[in-house]
């Protein structure tokens, strides 16, 4: 009963993460209501972005240029390398404005279950990059999940052969976090790493 | 730190209902991962749909043709008209396959707060349509919300001058519904309209 063009649009929208058939229909109706202000600009932006955004060969970031503007910026701290799972994590750290080194995006985490080994991630490229570019500290900024931490342990081990110092993000109570809502693991970590005031 | 093309895309995605800045970033990264399978087809579908989908002048449905394929289908029951708030509701009833008459989409509900009166909805067009086209039953399929029911009462009153019978959807326990999870209003309605087995 829905025209086939609209049906195709709804099916494509339903493939986006976080959207299902019902929300895809809602989005499609919203778009049809705002054709010139939203629907056509979105079509245009999707097309432009798909054509222009490249993956940086050095770090794995997404940018209109390759190498990306972070990798070619020589005002950043040369010997400092931050390892992240994906581009969203890189963006999150950049938003915080607290890191001035360079990045290396792994593209995921190790997973025996899904058959993802070091070769499926950018781990060989990382080892080569560390060996050839005078990096003195590697910060493992991986998610505090089982997969993230497994990958962190693997990397810490693999990076032992290099001269770089390997560090990891601190665990503890998030700013604004209420103790009552925190899980036991976080509380245990925060207690264990308590500091003198 | 995100390229401006990508930034524009994320800003547009964040305007879609149900998406915020974080989920828009996630959607953008997902799209960039599946450029040929999803991103470019979606751009194309948005453009095509924006160009081809029209609003049916008779009923308010969205279709590639005007009048829509429901309005020009003369195998449906001629005298039966179903009033719905929006196109999503029309689609929901069509999906159920249980209605074979025609539709009239109001385009919203009456709201003194938002300044939406009968003229802002397709209510004058409805009254004219009922007077000129031999409709014998009007089913008010409005949402069981305060706004929907206010609009239903207004319509029932306005349609008194016509000869058509005005009916409304039954209230009661939804199929698969558990009594413990139902609100008092629904239970009261279901008890009041109990039927003999």
């Amino acid at each position: 009963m829905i025209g086939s063009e609209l049906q195709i649009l709804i099916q494509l929208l339903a493939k986006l993460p976080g959207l299902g058939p019902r929300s895809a229909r809602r989005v499609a109706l919203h778009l049809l209501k705002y054709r010139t202000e939203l629907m056509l600009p979105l079509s245009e932006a999707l097309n432009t972005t798909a054509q222009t955004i490249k993956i940086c060969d050095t770090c794995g970031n997404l940018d209109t240029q390759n190498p990306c503007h972070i990798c070619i910026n020589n005002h950043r701290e040369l010997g400092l390398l931050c390892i992240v799972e994906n581009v969203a994590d890189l963006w999150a750290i950049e938003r915080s404005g607290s890191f001035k080194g360079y990045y290396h995006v792994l593209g995921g985490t190790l997973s025996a279950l899904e058959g993802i080994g070091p070769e499926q991630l950018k781990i060989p490229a990382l080892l080569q990059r560390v060996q050839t570019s005078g990096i003195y500290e590697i910060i493992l900024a991986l998610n505090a999940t089982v997969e993230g931490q497994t990958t962190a342990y693997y990397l810490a081990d693999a990076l032992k052969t290099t001269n770089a110092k390997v560090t990891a993000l601190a665990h503890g109570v998030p700013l604004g976090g209420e103790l009552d809502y925190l899980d036991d693991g976080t509380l245990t970590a925060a207690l264990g790493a308590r500091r003198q005031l």
Side-chain angles (χ1 to χ4, degrees), chain A residues 28-86:
Chain A
L29 288 172
H30 183 85
L31 285 164
L32 282 166
K33 204 167 168 185
Y34 301 100
R35 289 184 207 211
T36 46
E37 312 92 302
L38 187 55
M39 196 169 191
L40 291 172
L42 181 59
S43 166
E44 179 68 24
L46 285 166
N47 193 39
T48 313
T49 313
Q51 311 285 358
T52 56
I53 299 292
K54 302 169 191 73
I55 297 171
C56 173
D57 284 330
T58 312
C59 74
N61 188 15
L62 292 165
D63 203 345
T64 40
Q65 56 193 52
N66 176 14
C68 76
H69 73 286
I70 295 180
C71 285
I72 60 158
N73 179 353
N74 46 29
H75 290 98
R76 299 179 77 109
E77 212 167 321
L78 260 173
L80 208 53
L81 189 67
C82 181
I83 318 291
V84 289
E85 284 179 27
N86 52 50

Side-chain angles (χ1 to χ4, degrees), chain A residues 122-140:
Chain A
K122 278 182 64 127
I123 291 181
L126 169 66
L127 297 176
Q128 207 193 335
R129 189 176 174 189
V130 173
Q131 261 145 8
T132 56
S133 56
I135 284 159
Y136 57 78
E137 182 175 351
I138 297 163
I139 304 172
L140 301 177

Side-chain angles (χ1 to χ4, degrees), chain A residues 158-195:
Chain A
L159 290 164
K160 260 186 192 154
T161 53
T162 67
N163 293 321
K165 183 168 74 168
V166 180
T167 57
L169 294 184
H171 290 304
V173 183
L175 264 68
E178 294 184 47
L179 298 194
D180 196 19
Y181 288 90
L182 281 181
D183 61 298
D184 299 347
T186 304
L187 274 179
T188 307
L191 270 172
R194 65 190 179 278
R195 65 222 154 91

